Amino acid sequence: MQIHLIAVGNKMPDWVLQGYNEYAKRMPRECELVLKEIAPDKRRSGDIARITKEEGERMLTAVPPRAHVVTLDIPGKPWTTADLSKALQRWLGNGQPVALMVGGPEGLSQQVRDIAQESWSLSPLTFPHPLVRVIVAEQIYRAWSLMNNHPYHR
């Protein structure tokens, strides 16, 4: 199974790539974490609704067929590490790819929210989008560690 982290934004600082890659490479082959970057639109025009909609359309084209879609969104459900580990176990059991959707600065488009089977809130705080990639990768690895009684979680 693959977990696709589909995130708006590209040209990330080196520390983001290093942090994300550190956790992604620790994942076993049967639970591979794959980053799919979606190029953001320029925000000079000020038409935020159009920009968010177009970014959402590009995000949707990156979703693998039959994927279980999970948005990362402030109004989503807050999960503990144990909750995420249970979700990961459920996702693995379903045998479908998983698409974790991270929007741009203005969030996710309505069409992305509409196709999601679940919505996960990392925190009621707003995080910088580059940092979200590292947090999600670490938390997925931590959840996998907990599920497999690996010492990392302790």
Side-chain angles (χ1 to χ4, degrees), residues 41-140:
D41 279 355
K42 303 236 183 300
R43 274 149 171 81
R44 289 185 213 133
S45 72
D47 188 354
I48 300 304
R50 179 194 54 78
I51 290 168
T52 304
K53 183 176 186 289
E54 289 175 0
E55 288 173 347
E57 289 167 357
R58 288 196 303 280
M59 291 179 81
L60 292 175
T61 64
V63 174
R66 301 181 323 100
H68 182 83
V69 178
V70 181
T71 56
L72 277 84
D73 209 0
I74 289 175
K77 184 178 177 186
W79 287 343
T80 64
T81 301
D83 293 336
L84 179 57
S85 184
K86 288 176 188 168
L88 183 59
Q89 191 164 19
R90 181 170 34 85
W91 299 338
L92 283 166
N94 290 342
Q96 298 171 267
V98 174
L100 302 176
M101 311 293 275
V102 179
E106 288 78 25
L108 294 162
S109 70
Q110 191 58 50
Q111 67 256 45
V112 170
R113 286 185 173 115
D114 288 345
I115 69 153
Q117 285 94 1
E118 296 181 78
S119 186
W120 169 24
S121 174
L122 289 179
S123 169
L125 301 171
T126 301
F127 293 123
H129 288 265
L131 185 58
V132 169
R133 295 175 187 208
V134 179
I135 292 171
V136 169
E138 192 279 337
Q139 287 299 299
I140 293 291

